[in-house]
Amino acid sequence: MAEALPVAPEGARLVASEDARLNATIRQLKFRDPETARKLAGTIARVTKEIGRSPVSVMHVCGSHEQAIAKFGLRATFPKALNVIMGPGCPVCITDMPEVDEGVALARQGLLIASYGDMLKVRGTVQSLNDAQAEGADVAVVYSASQAVELARSTDREVVFFATGFETTAVATAAVIRSDPPKNFSVLSAHKYIPPVMEIVAEMPENRVEGFLAAGHAATITGWGIFEAFAEKHRLPVVVAGFEPLDILAGLARLVELVRDGEPRVVNMFPRCVTKEGNRRAQDELWSVFRPVGGRWRGIAHVPNGNLRLRDEWAHLDARRRFPIDLASLWDYAPPALAADCICGDIMSGIASPSKCKLFGKECVPDTPVGACMVSSEGTCKIWHQYGGHPDLETL
Amino acid sequence: MCLGVPGKVISVQGSVAVVDFWGVRRQVSLDIVDEPVAPGDYILNHVGFAIRRIPEEDIGGTLSLYEGLLKEAGADDLMASDVRGEIAGTRRGNG
C-alpha cells in the first residue's frame, strides 16, 4: 500500500490509519486468502478516491451477491464514498401483486397450485397463497419445475405451476414445457427478464448508478455478451462476478476502475463459469417457449420486455389462456393497512436501504413479513435482518 | 436464486444423470447442459438442471466456496439453506 501514501504528513497519517483499520477488518472477516483480500480492498479504496466524487454508487442485481456481501461483511472493507446497492435481484420480491392474485384466484377456483416455497408467503393485492390455503384451497410447495410435472402425473386434477424467477429459472420451466408434460399440467408464468430492468433502474434520476455488477451464474446461461448493448447505450460499465468474497471484491475493484477511466464496457471477471456466448442450448430452449412482453415489476415500474410469457404455440399449456381467472371476486377485500408504509419498491429500485424503512425489524420481520423483501432469502430486507447490511466499523 | 451448485456425475442414462452432492445423490436433467457429460465430470446444477459442465481445471475453485459454506454455516444461514434447498430440489437419484 506504499504507493497510496501522499506526500503531506497529515494525509500520510490518515492513510496509514485507514490502512490499519482495513487490515484489522480483513483479519476479522476471516478471508480464505487475507493478503489478496487486503490488496483488492486497497485497490477499491484507492480507485474510489481517485474518482473524487462521493458517493460513487454501483449496483448488483442478485440476491446471492447480497447474501455474500452481507454474510461476509464486505461493506466494512469499502470506503465510505463507495455505495454498493442491491437492485431488483430478488425474483420473489418483484413478482407483482396482480400476478400473485392470479395464482390465488386459480387456487380459490379449485385448481391445485404448485410453486416455490417463498411464493406462498407473498401477498397479492389481498391474499397470499398461504392465506388461500388456510381457507381450504390446495397449494403445494415444489423445489423445481420437474417436481410440479411429477405432481401432475400423480393426480387427475389440474395442476398449475405458478412459475417465478429470472431467466436462469425460466430455462428450467421451458425445458419441462418442451418435454411433453401431462395434459393436466399448465404454467402460470410470472418469469422475469433482468436486462430490461437494468435499463429502467439505470435511468432513475434518484439512483445515479455508475456501474453494474452482474451475477455470474445467470450469465452462465445468457453469456456476458448480452450486456454489451446495455453498456454502450447507457454508457455504464458492467462487470460479471462470482460469489466468493474474493470474486466480489475483484469484480468491484475492476468496476470502480472502469468508472474512474470512463470506460463503459463489459468485463468478465468470472471466466471459470461464464463465456461471451453463454449456454446456447439453454437460450434456444428459453426463447422457443417464452417471449418477452412489457409488465409491472412490484414497486418498481412498468418494464418493457421485462416479463416472460408463453408463446402462442404453447397456449394449451398456458394457464392464463386455459382457464378463466376470476380476479374480481378477490378485490372485494380491503387492502392491508400496514402495506402503505412499506418501501419495498424503493429498496428494490436501489433508492432506499432497509434501515430507512420504519417497519424494518419492528412490524416487519421474517416470521411476519409486511413487504415482499422480508419474505425471500434473496430479499434485501431478509438478508439485512439476518446478517446486518452495513456493519458498524467501530464494532469490528 | 442465482447460485448454482456443483456436483459429481456418477452415471448417465439418456438425458438424466445421477449426481453426487457431498454424499447426497440426485437425478439431474441434462436437457440444457452446454456440453456432453460423462461419469466423473462435475456439473453446475440449477433447480434440477445441469446448466454447465465445469472444466477440470476449475473444479477445485468451484467446490471450495460451497464446502466452506456448508461446513461453517448454521441451520438458519440464508446462503447455506439456499444451497441445501437447491440440492433438495433435484430428484432422488438411484443409489
Side-chain angles (χ1 to χ4, degrees), chain A residues 294-321:
Chain A
R296 278 201 68 79
W297 289 37
R298 182 193 291 250
I300 298 178
H302 178 93
V303 180
N305 294 322
N307 285 3
L308 299 175
R309 294 289 183 265
L310 268 65
R311 290 185 179 277
D312 290 344
E313 60 183 296
W314 308 103
H316 59 292
L317 291 170
D318 188 345
R320 287 192 182 87
R321 286 185 265 191

mmCIF file of all heavy atoms in Angstrom, chain A residues 294-321:
data_model
loop_
_atom_site.group_PDB
_atom_site.id
_atom_site.type_symbol
_atom_site.label_atom_id
_atom_site.label_comp_id
_atom_site.label_asym_id
_atom_site.label_seq_id
_atom_site.Cartn_x
_atom_site.Cartn_y
_atom_site.Cartn_z
ATOM 1 N N GLY A 294 -44.068 -6.495 -22.058
ATOM 2 C CA GLY A 294 -43.961 -5.480 -21.012
ATOM 3 C C GLY A 294 -44.864 -5.829 -19.836
ATOM 4 O O GLY A 294 -45.866 -6.518 -19.997
ATOM 5 N N GLY A 295 -44.500 -5.368 -18.643
ATOM 6 C CA GLY A 295 -45.350 -5.595 -17.490
ATOM 7 C C GLY A 295 -44.763 -4.927 -16.263
ATOM 8 O O GLY A 295 -43.600 -4.495 -16.270
ATOM 9 N N ARG A 296 -45.566 -4.858 -15.222
ATOM 10 C CA ARG A 296 -45.098 -4.207 -13.997
ATOM 11 C C ARG A 296 -44.227 -5.140 -13.167
ATOM 12 O O ARG A 296 -44.479 -6.336 -13.088
ATOM 13 C CB ARG A 296 -46.293 -3.760 -13.140
ATOM 14 C CG ARG A 296 -46.905 -2.440 -13.560
ATOM 15 C CD ARG A 296 -47.694 -1.810 -12.419
ATOM 16 N NE ARG A 296 -46.841 -1.372 -11.330
ATOM 17 C CZ ARG A 296 -46.139 -0.231 -11.345
ATOM 18 N NH1 ARG A 296 -46.191 0.575 -12.368
ATOM 19 N NH2 ARG A 296 -45.393 0.091 -10.311
ATOM 20 N N TRP A 297 -43.222 -4.588 -12.548
ATOM 21 C CA TRP A 297 -42.463 -5.281 -11.514
ATOM 22 C C TRP A 297 -42.887 -4.618 -10.204
ATOM 23 O O TRP A 297 -42.935 -3.381 -10.124
ATOM 24 C CB TRP A 297 -40.955 -5.118 -11.732
ATOM 25 C CG TRP A 297 -40.414 -5.885 -12.910
ATOM 26 C CD1 TRP A 297 -41.037 -6.089 -14.109
ATOM 27 C CD2 TRP A 297 -39.143 -6.541 -13.000
ATOM 28 N NE1 TRP A 297 -40.235 -6.830 -14.934
ATOM 29 C CE2 TRP A 297 -39.061 -7.123 -14.287
ATOM 30 C CE3 TRP A 297 -38.062 -6.691 -12.124
ATOM 31 C CZ2 TRP A 297 -37.943 -7.845 -14.706
ATOM 32 C CZ3 TRP A 297 -36.956 -7.402 -12.557
ATOM 33 C CH2 TRP A 297 -36.895 -7.986 -13.825
ATOM 34 N N ARG A 298 -43.172 -5.428 -9.198
ATOM 35 C CA ARG A 298 -43.715 -4.896 -7.950
ATOM 36 C C ARG A 298 -42.890 -3.724 -7.427
ATOM 37 O O ARG A 298 -41.683 -3.850 -7.212
ATOM 38 C CB ARG A 298 -43.734 -5.997 -6.888
ATOM 39 C CG ARG A 298 -44.340 -5.543 -5.553
ATOM 40 C CD ARG A 298 -44.043 -6.541 -4.443
ATOM 41 N NE ARG A 298 -44.754 -7.789 -4.630
ATOM 42 C CZ ARG A 298 -45.768 -8.204 -3.853
ATOM 43 N NH1 ARG A 298 -46.159 -7.479 -2.837
ATOM 44 N NH2 ARG A 298 -46.354 -9.351 -4.075
ATOM 45 N N GLY A 299 -43.581 -2.616 -7.235
ATOM 46 C CA GLY A 299 -42.956 -1.481 -6.575
ATOM 47 C C GLY A 299 -41.966 -0.708 -7.430
ATOM 48 O O GLY A 299 -41.443 0.317 -7.001
ATOM 49 N N ILE A 300 -41.649 -1.195 -8.632
ATOM 50 C CA ILE A 300 -40.594 -0.541 -9.401
ATOM 51 C C ILE A 300 -41.173 0.270 -10.551
ATOM 52 O O ILE A 300 -41.191 1.498 -10.507
ATOM 53 C CB ILE A 300 -39.565 -1.582 -9.908
ATOM 54 C CG1 ILE A 300 -38.909 -2.257 -8.703
ATOM 55 C CG2 ILE A 300 -38.514 -0.915 -10.784
ATOM 56 C CD1 ILE A 300 -37.921 -3.335 -9.045
ATOM 57 N N ALA A 301 -41.675 -0.392 -11.555
ATOM 58 C CA ALA A 301 -42.164 0.324 -12.738
ATOM 59 C C ALA A 301 -42.717 -0.680 -13.727
ATOM 60 O O ALA A 301 -42.574 -1.891 -13.548
ATOM 61 C CB ALA A 301 -41.020 1.099 -13.405
ATOM 62 N N HIS A 302 -43.319 -0.140 -14.781
ATOM 63 C CA HIS A 302 -43.608 -0.955 -15.949
ATOM 64 C C HIS A 302 -42.280 -1.181 -16.657
ATOM 65 O O HIS A 302 -41.543 -0.234 -16.907
ATOM 66 C CB HIS A 302 -44.599 -0.223 -16.873
ATOM 67 C CG HIS A 302 -44.901 -0.981 -18.116
ATOM 68 N ND1 HIS A 302 -45.975 -1.845 -18.214
ATOM 69 C CD2 HIS A 302 -44.268 -1.023 -19.315
ATOM 70 C CE1 HIS A 302 -45.984 -2.382 -19.417
ATOM 71 N NE2 HIS A 302 -44.969 -1.892 -20.113
ATOM 72 N N VAL A 303 -41.957 -2.426 -16.927
ATOM 73 C CA VAL A 303 -40.673 -2.731 -17.557
ATOM 74 C C VAL A 303 -40.932 -3.294 -18.960
ATOM 75 O O VAL A 303 -41.426 -4.412 -19.093
ATOM 76 C CB VAL A 303 -39.874 -3.758 -16.716
ATOM 77 C CG1 VAL A 303 -38.533 -4.053 -17.387
ATOM 78 C CG2 VAL A 303 -39.651 -3.237 -15.304
ATOM 79 N N PRO A 304 -40.620 -2.520 -20.002
ATOM 80 C CA PRO A 304 -40.808 -3.049 -21.355
ATOM 81 C C PRO A 304 -39.970 -4.313 -21.543
ATOM 82 O O PRO A 304 -38.791 -4.336 -21.177
ATOM 83 C CB PRO A 304 -40.294 -1.917 -22.254
ATOM 84 C CG PRO A 304 -40.309 -0.692 -21.391
ATOM 85 C CD PRO A 304 -40.065 -1.166 -19.998
ATOM 86 N N ASN A 305 -40.584 -5.349 -22.065
ATOM 87 C CA ASN A 305 -39.905 -6.639 -22.308
ATOM 88 C C ASN A 305 -39.379 -7.307 -21.035
ATOM 89 O O ASN A 305 -38.527 -8.189 -21.102
ATOM 90 C CB ASN A 305 -38.737 -6.476 -23.303
ATOM 91 C CG ASN A 305 -39.231 -6.089 -24.670
ATOM 92 O OD1 ASN A 305 -40.272 -6.578 -25.111
ATOM 93 N ND2 ASN A 305 -38.529 -5.191 -25.337
ATOM 94 N N GLY A 306 -39.911 -6.907 -19.873
ATOM 95 C CA GLY A 306 -39.390 -7.451 -18.620
ATOM 96 C C GLY A 306 -40.060 -8.739 -18.158
ATOM 97 O O GLY A 306 -39.560 -9.414 -17.261
ATOM 98 N N ASN A 307 -41.208 -9.074 -18.751
ATOM 99 C CA ASN A 307 -41.930 -10.288 -18.336
ATOM 100 C C ASN A 307 -41.836 -11.352 -19.418
ATOM 101 O O ASN A 307 -41.849 -11.034 -20.605
ATOM 102 C CB ASN A 307 -43.414 -9.969 -18.089
ATOM 103 C CG ASN A 307 -43.625 -9.222 -16.787
ATOM 104 O OD1 ASN A 307 -42.666 -8.899 -16.089
ATOM 105 N ND2 ASN A 307 -44.868 -8.952 -16.467
ATOM 106 N N LEU A 308 -41.759 -12.613 -18.989
ATOM 107 C CA LEU A 308 -41.700 -13.709 -19.952
ATOM 108 C C LEU A 308 -43.046 -14.434 -19.971
ATOM 109 O O LEU A 308 -43.499 -14.918 -18.927
ATOM 110 C CB LEU A 308 -40.569 -14.677 -19.590
ATOM 111 C CG LEU A 308 -39.154 -14.071 -19.596
ATOM 112 C CD1 LEU A 308 -38.121 -15.087 -19.103
ATOM 113 C CD2 LEU A 308 -38.781 -13.584 -20.994
ATOM 114 N N ARG A 309 -43.669 -14.472 -21.138
ATOM 115 C CA ARG A 309 -44.956 -15.152 -21.297
ATOM 116 C C ARG A 309 -44.825 -16.263 -22.322
ATOM 117 O O ARG A 309 -43.957 -16.188 -23.212
ATOM 118 C CB ARG A 309 -46.021 -14.148 -21.765
ATOM 119 C CG ARG A 309 -46.352 -13.079 -20.725
ATOM 120 C CD ARG A 309 -47.121 -13.675 -19.554
ATOM 121 N NE ARG A 309 -47.514 -12.658 -18.584
ATOM 122 C CZ ARG A 309 -46.844 -12.337 -17.485
ATOM 123 N NH1 ARG A 309 -45.704 -12.950 -17.203
ATOM 124 N NH2 ARG A 309 -47.293 -11.420 -16.656
ATOM 125 N N LEU A 310 -45.705 -17.270 -22.247
ATOM 126 C CA LEU A 310 -45.622 -18.398 -23.169
ATOM 127 C C LEU A 310 -45.976 -17.959 -24.594
ATOM 128 O O LEU A 310 -46.910 -17.173 -24.794
ATOM 129 C CB LEU A 310 -46.570 -19.527 -22.727
ATOM 130 C CG LEU A 310 -45.949 -20.578 -21.805
ATOM 131 C CD1 LEU A 310 -45.547 -19.973 -20.477
ATOM 132 C CD2 LEU A 310 -46.915 -21.730 -21.593
ATOM 133 N N ARG A 311 -45.230 -18.460 -25.544
ATOM 134 C CA ARG A 311 -45.528 -18.198 -26.955
ATOM 135 C C ARG A 311 -46.827 -18.897 -27.347
ATOM 136 O O ARG A 311 -47.263 -19.845 -26.698
ATOM 137 C CB ARG A 311 -44.387 -18.718 -27.836
ATOM 138 C CG ARG A 311 -43.130 -17.911 -27.707
ATOM 139 C CD ARG A 311 -42.051 -18.366 -28.686
ATOM 140 N NE ARG A 311 -40.882 -17.518 -28.525
ATOM 141 C CZ ARG A 311 -40.731 -16.328 -29.100
ATOM 142 N NH1 ARG A 311 -41.665 -15.867 -29.909
ATOM 143 N NH2 ARG A 311 -39.656 -15.610 -28.877
ATOM 144 N N ASP A 312 -47.406 -18.438 -28.468
ATOM 145 C CA ASP A 312 -48.708 -18.956 -28.895
ATOM 146 C C ASP A 312 -48.714 -20.471 -29.103
ATOM 147 O O ASP A 312 -49.703 -21.134 -28.843
ATOM 148 C CB ASP A 312 -49.152 -18.268 -30.193
ATOM 149 C CG ASP A 312 -49.524 -16.816 -29.954
ATOM 150 O OD1 ASP A 312 -49.732 -16.447 -28.773
ATOM 151 O OD2 ASP A 312 -49.587 -16.043 -30.928
ATOM 152 N N GLU A 313 -47.606 -21.006 -29.577
ATOM 153 C CA GLU A 313 -47.627 -22.452 -29.842
ATOM 154 C C GLU A 313 -47.741 -23.280 -28.553
ATOM 155 O O GLU A 313 -48.005 -24.466 -28.610
ATOM 156 C CB GLU A 313 -46.387 -22.870 -30.632
ATOM 157 C CG GLU A 313 -45.089 -22.583 -29.920
ATOM 158 C CD GLU A 313 -43.879 -22.961 -30.775
ATOM 159 O OE1 GLU A 313 -43.717 -24.150 -31.082
ATOM 160 O OE2 GLU A 313 -43.119 -22.038 -31.118
ATOM 161 N N TRP A 314 -47.522 -22.659 -27.404
ATOM 162 C CA TRP A 314 -47.667 -23.357 -26.124
ATOM 163 C C TRP A 314 -48.924 -22.903 -25.389
ATOM 164 O O TRP A 314 -49.057 -23.126 -24.186
ATOM 165 C CB TRP A 314 -46.433 -23.136 -25.233
ATOM 166 C CG TRP A 314 -45.154 -23.466 -25.924
ATOM 167 C CD1 TRP A 314 -44.248 -22.592 -26.458
ATOM 168 C CD2 TRP A 314 -44.650 -24.773 -26.229
ATOM 169 N NE1 TRP A 314 -43.212 -23.267 -27.062
ATOM 170 C CE2 TRP A 314 -43.430 -24.617 -26.933
ATOM 171 C CE3 TRP A 314 -45.109 -26.076 -25.956
ATOM 172 C CZ2 TRP A 314 -42.673 -25.700 -27.379
ATOM 173 C CZ3 TRP A 314 -44.348 -27.151 -26.404
ATOM 174 C CH2 TRP A 314 -43.148 -26.955 -27.112
ATOM 175 N N ALA A 315 -49.869 -22.287 -26.125
ATOM 176 C CA ALA A 315 -51.089 -21.754 -25.496
ATOM 177 C C ALA A 315 -51.832 -22.819 -24.690
ATOM 178 O O ALA A 315 -52.403 -22.525 -23.634
ATOM 179 C CB ALA A 315 -52.005 -21.164 -26.563
ATOM 180 N N HIS A 316 -51.779 -24.072 -25.171
ATOM 181 C CA HIS A 316 -52.507 -25.139 -24.466
ATOM 182 C C HIS A 316 -51.902 -25.421 -23.085
ATOM 183 O O HIS A 316 -52.525 -26.059 -22.249
ATOM 184 C CB HIS A 316 -52.536 -26.420 -25.318
ATOM 185 C CG HIS A 316 -51.162 -26.938 -25.665
ATOM 186 N ND1 HIS A 316 -50.311 -26.260 -26.524
ATOM 187 C CD2 HIS A 316 -50.497 -28.038 -25.263
ATOM 188 C CE1 HIS A 316 -49.172 -26.954 -26.635
ATOM 189 N NE2 HIS A 316 -49.263 -28.021 -25.867
ATOM 190 N N LEU A 317 -50.678 -24.951 -22.831
ATOM 191 C CA LEU A 317 -50.056 -25.142 -21.508
ATOM 192 C C LEU A 317 -50.064 -23.843 -20.690
ATOM 193 O O LEU A 317 -49.495 -23.786 -19.603
ATOM 194 C CB LEU A 317 -48.608 -25.617 -21.683
ATOM 195 C CG LEU A 317 -48.451 -27.032 -22.247
ATOM 196 C CD1 LEU A 317 -46.998 -27.315 -22.609
ATOM 197 C CD2 LEU A 317 -48.929 -28.056 -21.222
ATOM 198 N N ASP A 318 -50.681 -22.809 -21.242
ATOM 199 C CA ASP A 318 -50.684 -21.502 -20.585
ATOM 200 C C ASP A 318 -51.952 -21.366 -19.740
ATOM 201 O O ASP A 318 -53.062 -21.285 -20.286
ATOM 202 C CB ASP A 318 -50.621 -20.403 -21.660
ATOM 203 C CG ASP A 318 -50.430 -19.022 -21.061
ATOM 204 O OD1 ASP A 318 -50.626 -18.864 -19.834
ATOM 205 O OD2 ASP A 318 -50.092 -18.092 -21.821
ATOM 206 N N ALA A 319 -51.775 -21.343 -18.418
ATOM 207 C CA ALA A 319 -52.939 -21.291 -17.517
ATOM 208 C C ALA A 319 -53.805 -20.064 -17.799
ATOM 209 O O ALA A 319 -55.026 -20.117 -17.654
ATOM 210 C CB ALA A 319 -52.478 -21.296 -16.056
ATOM 211 N N ARG A 320 -53.173 -18.965 -18.214
ATOM 212 C CA ARG A 320 -53.952 -17.746 -18.485
ATOM 213 C C ARG A 320 -54.911 -17.931 -19.661
ATOM 214 O O ARG A 320 -55.948 -17.297 -19.723
ATOM 215 C CB ARG A 320 -53.021 -16.570 -18.803
ATOM 216 C CG ARG A 320 -52.301 -16.041 -17.589
ATOM 217 C CD ARG A 320 -51.629 -14.709 -17.888
ATOM 218 N NE ARG A 320 -50.905 -14.266 -16.701
ATOM 219 C CZ ARG A 320 -49.651 -14.643 -16.431
ATOM 220 N NH1 ARG A 320 -48.989 -15.411 -17.247
ATOM 221 N NH2 ARG A 320 -49.080 -14.215 -15.321
ATOM 222 N N ARG A 321 -54.523 -18.791 -20.595
ATOM 223 C CA ARG A 321 -55.375 -18.978 -21.763
ATOM 224 C C ARG A 321 -56.270 -20.207 -21.616
ATOM 225 O O ARG A 321 -57.221 -20.381 -22.359
ATOM 226 C CB ARG A 321 -54.520 -19.070 -23.028
ATOM 227 C CG ARG A 321 -53.986 -17.674 -23.386
ATOM 228 C CD ARG A 321 -53.226 -17.666 -24.679
ATOM 229 N NE ARG A 321 -51.795 -17.824 -24.454
ATOM 230 C CZ ARG A 321 -50.880 -17.640 -25.414
ATOM 231 N NH1 ARG A 321 -51.257 -17.302 -26.634
ATOM 232 N NH2 ARG A 321 -49.600 -17.789 -25.143
#
